[in-house]
């Protein structure tokens, strides 16, 4: 029962009963997928359970890191998050050649370093500079968006290059450089990776109250401050997406060509 006298700043905890009701909602959705013969009921339930366990584990980890208030522990957790993001990116991307660990790792590290430095240190400017309650969530949001964008961009790039095989060979035969031959695929892939981020940026506010803003409001924060934080995050997500897509394209497009600048999709 919700009491009408609750005031701004109240914290509403979710207990075991609330989590159980949430699982019932997922179970109902899973039953509907069975009725519709979608074949995803097991994966939905398993993904939900795994999500809960991972989020709770991360909650305990972040709590420990905040209490420890040690810059080396904060940086170690951020490095671990980046490494995990590399594995997730390579798993999500379809039809890509092997051997892309280093390009993806470099892209994630550079992109996160640039945007984290601007958002955390120049815009929010926490004290101390390594404040885990700022750096860890911001890094997590940046990586989550970047993983999806890079995976989509890489998948589209290699599939597009394969579809354009004869066109690329014509480009090369006419004296074009490998970059010039691959440029249409690079542009198409970067645009595709940006679409979800731009759509979220455009719809935020009236249509959508994004997660960070909603979370701060639910936790009792000032809605205006929550709105400013959310805008900074959304703008940063757009920036990190285009930075990441650009970097990964620069680092991988040569995978479609030999040392003699001949077109060849290598798988190793």
């Amino acid at each position: 029962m919700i009491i009408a006298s609750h005031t701004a700043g109240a914290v509403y905890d979710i207990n075991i009963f609330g989590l159980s009701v949430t699982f019932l909602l997922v179970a109902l959705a899973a039953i509907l997928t069975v009725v519709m013969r979608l074949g995803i009921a097991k994966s939905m339930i398993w993904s939900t359970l795994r999500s809960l366990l991972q989020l709770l584990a991360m909650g305990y980890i972040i709590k420990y890191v905040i209490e420890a208030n040690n810059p080396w522990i904060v940086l170690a957790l951020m490095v671990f998050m980046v490494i995990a993001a590399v594995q997730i990116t390579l798993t999500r991307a379809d039809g890509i050649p092997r051997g892309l660990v280093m390009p993806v790792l470099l892209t994630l590290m550079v992109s996160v370093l640039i945007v984290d430095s601007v958002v955390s240190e120049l815009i929010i400017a926490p004290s101390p500079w390594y404040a885990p309650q700022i750096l860890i969530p911001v890094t997590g949001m940046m990586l989550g968006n970047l993983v999806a964008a890079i995976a989509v961009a890489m998948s589209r790039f290699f599939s597009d290059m394969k579809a354009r095989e004869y066109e690329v060979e014509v480009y090369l035969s006419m004296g074009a450089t490998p970059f010039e031959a691959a440029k249409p695929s690079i542009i198409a892939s970067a645009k595709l990776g940006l679409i979800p981020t731009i759509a979220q940026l455009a719809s935020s506010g009236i249509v959508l109250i994004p997660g960070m803003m909603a979370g701060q409001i639910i936790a009792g924060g000032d809605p205006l401050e929550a709105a400013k934080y959310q805008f900074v995050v959304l703008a940063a997500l757009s920036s990190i997406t285009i930075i990441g897509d650009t970097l990964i394209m620069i680092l991988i497009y040569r995978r479609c060509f030999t040392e003699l600048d001949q077109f060849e999709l290598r798988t190793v």
Side-chain angles (χ1 to χ4, degrees), residues 8-231:
V11 177
Y12 302 90
D13 292 329
I14 297 178
N15 53 25
I16 297 298
F17 174 76
L19 294 176
S20 301
V21 172
T22 304
F23 268 106
L24 287 176
L25 289 175
V26 176
L28 175 61
I31 292 173
L32 291 175
T33 65
V34 172
V35 173
M36 298 175 65
R37 299 181 180 180
L38 299 180
I40 60 172
K42 290 183 179 179
S43 62
M44 176 181 290
I45 293 175
W46 167 244
S47 296
T48 302
L49 179 60
R50 185 175 65 179
S51 173
L52 174 62
L53 295 176
Q54 290 178 169
L55 288 171
L56 290 177
M58 181 56 76
Y60 281 112
I61 291 172
I62 294 177
K63 181 180 179 181
Y64 166 77
V65 173
I66 291 175
E67 291 175 351
N69 198 31
N70 185 304
W72 295 110
I73 296 178
V74 174
L75 294 176
L77 179 56
M78 292 173 63
V79 169
F80 174 78
M81 293 168 66
V82 170
I83 294 174
V86 172
Q87 190 273 332
I88 296 172
T89 302
L90 296 174
T91 301
R92 287 189 181 184
D94 297 323
I96 64 173
R98 290 173 288 176
L100 296 182
V101 173
M102 289 309 298
V104 172
L105 176 61
L106 184 60
T107 298
L108 292 176
M109 289 182 63
V110 172
S111 302
V112 168
L113 180 62
I114 292 173
V115 178
D116 259 8
S117 298
V118 174
V119 173
S120 299
E121 304 309 323
L122 294 181
I123 299 176
I124 301 177
S127 180
W129 65 267
Y130 57 85
Q133 63 269 34
I134 298 296
L135 276 181
I136 301 303
V138 169
T139 300
M141 286 185 285
M142 298 299 131
L143 284 174
N145 194 81
L146 196 54
V147 162
I150 290 178
V152 169
M154 289 196 302
S155 300
R156 172 61 183 270
F157 175 73
F158 286 108
S159 64
D160 200 56
M161 287 295 288
K162 185 176 181 180
R164 295 179 56 240
E165 178 178 356
Y166 297 111
E167 179 185 340
V168 171
E169 290 178 347
V170 170
Y171 269 93
L172 296 175
S173 67
M174 296 178 65
T177 64
F179 178 78
E180 290 171 336
K183 188 176 179 179
S185 297
I186 292 174
I187 293 175
S189 303
K191 283 184 178 180
L192 186 64
L194 273 169
I195 288 175
T197 303
I198 293 177
Q200 184 182 24
L201 186 62
S203 62
S204 295
I206 302 300
V207 178
L208 169 69
I209 299 179
M212 185 178 187
M213 181 177 177
Q216 286 185 311
I217 293 173
I218 291 173
D222 182 356
L224 292 179
E225 286 299 318
K228 288 188 287 185
Y229 267 88
Q230 187 63 70
F231 170 74

